[in-house]
Amino acid sequence: MFSSQFIRILPLVIILTGCETTQEEPASQPKPEVKVKANPKTIFSEQNEDLAQIAPLSPQELDDVWQRIRAQLTFANSSHPEVQQRIAWYLSHPNYMDEISRRAEPYLYYIVTEVEKRDIPIELALMPLIESDFDASAYSHKHASGLWQLTPSIAKYFKVKISPWYDGRQDVIDSTRAALDFMEYLYKRFDGDWYHAIAAYNLGEGRVLRAISNNKKQGKPTDFFSLKLPKQTSQYVPKLLAAAQLLKSQKMTFPAIANKDAIATVTISGSVILDNKSQWQLLEPLNYGVIRFPAIIDAPHLVVPASEKIQFETMIANQKSNDYSQWQQYTVKRGDSLSVIAKRYKVSVNQLKAFNNLKSSTIRIGQKLVLPQLADTQIEHKVKSGESLWKIANHYKVSITKLKQWNSLSGDRLKVGDKLTVFLSNS
């Protein structure tokens, strides 16, 4: 059981953002491609074996989530060279699925359950494997983020909150809901063709529609494998099919993941300061969406181990004290108004009013206002020769994940002279 000191502060008003409809290309960091020769006929014939006998258990009653997925796979096996090449790659990296299962363990049961609720192909539960290698903190150079590599435009369209405090793309609950909403939209957009829909998730619906249209004009077939698409997308669907075929045929080990709830959510009706760093280190892998620890602001919930749900709910409910010592304060000057102050500090008027328990927008000179910003020291670090993310994070005693998140870094490479923003807590 966790034990920590929570400090409840007043609720904040959520700032909803606008929306767009076109998905950018989620450029997750792919594993290096190793060209391995494989005999497609041999691999394909092996995959035609029937699924192992699992009756009379239903998929939900199996012990392993991977086997729960396996029991419901519906996409046909493919002998296409792109699929077989990816199968060969997987088989040449036998330890790859060990790491995937380790990362997926907290999330996979939840994702599978959500896919089943919608009665859509169970193969879609494997998409985070292709998108992010099940890395919830993944961030691409195209600004796609999280398990499902959602771009800002798609996240906003599907009502995923992104603010200076919270990025729902890196929250398994918010991102899974949005990603599956998007997939259902694309399925309808492409007249019930899942391969086209999956390709459009990666590339954008407009470019896939143009590829289909071009083939029609030339009298060519319009199935996925006949389309002229960028290399990343032409390999995207085959990667998913290859993983599904290997799971179906059991030619590769997928380390077991318990078929039961691993996580739960604790509702955050306002905002919370979780000021125990050791405990946050345990929760951070489940809450990458919380950007500025120790403040949990704008987050609709906290993701916790399923076994700790009641304890966390009780601790949050029992907090009655307000402590603003960690927050910036502002003294109202002549000419100030809430809108002027809000614009200056990049917050909303409603946030200012909520934080200061103001029933109107009237303020007076000399009045002290609490700003919904931690009293952190923000510094700019200029990268020197020989420095790495690890060295810089270690120097400032912050995590590499946060350092990358603060600076929108998709990889680990730095150049001499790069400027990095670092937040140092004064608490």
Side-chain angles (χ1 to χ4, degrees):
M1 172 179 174
F2 293 98
S3 62
S4 66
Q5 179 184 0
F6 280 83
I7 303 174
R8 176 166 296 281
I9 58 180
L10 295 175
L12 295 180
V13 177
I14 296 172
I15 304 177
L16 293 178
T17 54
C19 59
E20 297 175 20
T21 58
T22 303
Q23 169 77 329
E24 299 172 16
E25 186 177 34
S28 58
Q29 299 299 312
K31 300 290 183 182
E33 293 289 344
V34 177
K35 297 298 182 182
V36 180
K37 293 184 178 180
N39 187 330
K41 292 183 180 179
T42 301
I43 295 176
F44 184 58
S45 64
E46 289 175 344
Q47 291 167 346
N48 279 329
E49 298 175 5
D50 293 333
L51 292 178
Q53 295 298 318
I54 56 177
L57 295 178
S58 69
Q60 292 74 22
E61 293 173 318
L62 297 170
D63 293 332
D64 176 12
V65 181
W66 290 120
Q67 294 307 310
R68 177 175 170 182
I69 295 173
R70 179 173 173 264
Q72 302 178 78
L73 293 169
T74 57
F75 287 177
N77 286 342
S78 173
S79 59
H80 191 277
E82 289 281 4
V83 178
Q84 299 307 313
Q85 181 62 45
R86 190 61 187 182
I87 287 174
W89 185 94
Y90 283 133
L91 292 174
S92 70
H93 294 76
N95 297 325
Y96 174 71
M97 288 302 171
D98 292 342
E99 178 64 14
I100 291 297
S101 282
R102 184 189 68 79
R103 294 180 181 178
E105 187 171 7
Y107 310 116
L108 193 57
Y109 177 91
Y110 175 80
I111 291 172
V112 168
T113 301
E114 292 303 302
V115 170
E116 289 173 345
K117 286 178 182 177
R118 296 171 183 247
D119 195 25
I120 54 181
I122 200 66
E123 282 84 353
L124 301 188
L126 299 176
M127 285 181 62
L129 188 159
I130 312 305
E131 283 290 344
S132 64
D133 289 332
F134 273 101
D135 180 0
S137 66
Y139 193 96
S140 82
H141 71 279
K142 294 288 187 180
H143 305 296
S145 184
L147 289 169
W148 297 90
Q149 288 292 281
L150 296 173
T151 60
S153 60
I154 290 299
K156 291 175 183 178
Y157 184 83
F158 289 102
K159 306 275 191 303
V160 174
K161 194 187 309 181
I162 301 175
S163 79
W165 304 92
Y166 176 74
D167 188 341
R169 297 176 300 162
Q170 295 191 343
D171 175 83
V172 63
I173 311 298
D174 283 350
S175 65
T176 298
R177 190 262 310 153
L180 297 183
D181 283 350
F182 187 30
M183 283 306 308
E184 289 185 322
Y185 160 80
L186 291 171
Y187 177 67
K188 293 177 182 177
R189 188 76 174 87
F190 287 92
D191 300 322
D193 190 312
W194 278 113
Y195 290 6
H196 286 165
I198 293 169
Y201 184 96
N202 176 257
L203 181 62
E205 60 185 290
R207 295 181 69 180
V208 176
L209 286 169
R210 285 195 294 274
I212 293 172
S213 177
N214 289 338
N215 275 29
K216 285 181 178 178
K217 290 177 182 178
Q218 299 173 44
K220 296 180 180 179
T222 58
D223 63 282
F224 167 79
F225 288 109
S226 299
L227 300 180
K228 186 176 181 180
L229 298 169
K231 182 178 180 180
Q232 178 176 313
T233 305
S234 67
Q235 294 177 346
Y236 184 83
V237 174
K239 286 179 181 180
L240 184 65
L241 295 179
Q245 288 180 209
L246 280 173
L247 178 58
K248 184 188 295 185
S249 66
Q250 298 193 105
K251 297 301 180 184
M252 185 173 188
T253 300
F254 286 68
I257 296 175
N259 191 19
K260 63 180 183 180
D261 280 315
I263 57 174
T265 58
V266 174
T267 300
I268 305 295
S269 59
S271 303
V272 168
I273 299 176
L274 181 61
D275 59 0
N276 187 311
K277 290 188 178 181
S278 63
Q279 290 181 11
W280 181 248
Q281 288 173 351
L282 298 176
L283 290 182
E284 186 175 19
L286 300 178
N287 294 276
Y288 286 120
V290 177
I291 296 174
R292 297 284 302 281
F293 167 79
I296 304 171
I297 295 177
D298 284 346
H301 50 253
L302 191 64
V303 180
V304 301
S307 59
E308 303 293 336
K309 178 178 174 67
I310 295 176
Q311 291 92 323
F312 270 99
E313 283 182 333
T314 300
M315 281 187 281
I316 291 176
N318 288 339
Q319 297 308 308
K320 298 178 181 179
S321 60
N322 295 326
D323 180 0
Y324 295 105
S325 62
Q326 297 188 74
W327 302 89
Q328 292 185 32
Q329 296 189 26
Y330 178 82
T331 302
V332 177
K333 300 177 178 63
R334 185 179 299 278
D336 279 340
S337 66
L338 285 184
S339 60
V340 169
I341 298 170
K343 183 177 181 180
R344 184 180 304 153
Y345 289 95
K346 297 180 181 179
V347 298
S348 72
V349 171
N350 284 332
Q351 281 181 319
L352 279 178
K353 291 174 71 174
F355 242 66
N356 292 276
N357 197 25
L358 299 176
K359 296 181 180 179
S360 72
S361 297
T362 301
I363 53 177
R364 65 183 185 278
I365 296 174
Q367 182 178 352
K368 299 284 188 182
L369 295 179
V370 179
L371 301 174
Q373 296 186 358
L374 285 174
D376 289 351
T377 299
Q378 178 177 337
I379 66 170
E380 186 178 84
H381 178 91
K382 190 173 183 179
V383 178
K384 304 178 183 65
S385 177
E387 287 189 323
S388 64
L389 278 177
W390 182 85
K391 285 185 178 180
I392 296 170
N394 189 57
H395 174 74
Y396 291 110
K397 295 181 172 53
V398 298
S399 71
I400 292 176
T401 297
K402 287 302 176 190
L403 198 57
K404 292 173 72 173
Q405 192 173 39
W406 293 332
N407 293 278
S408 299
L409 298 176
S410 58
D412 295 333
R413 293 184 179 180
L414 297 175
K415 292 192 242 179
V416 174
D418 282 350
K419 294 179 180 179
L420 300 178
T421 297
V422 183
F423 292 98
L424 301 180
S425 177
N426 293 330
S427 58

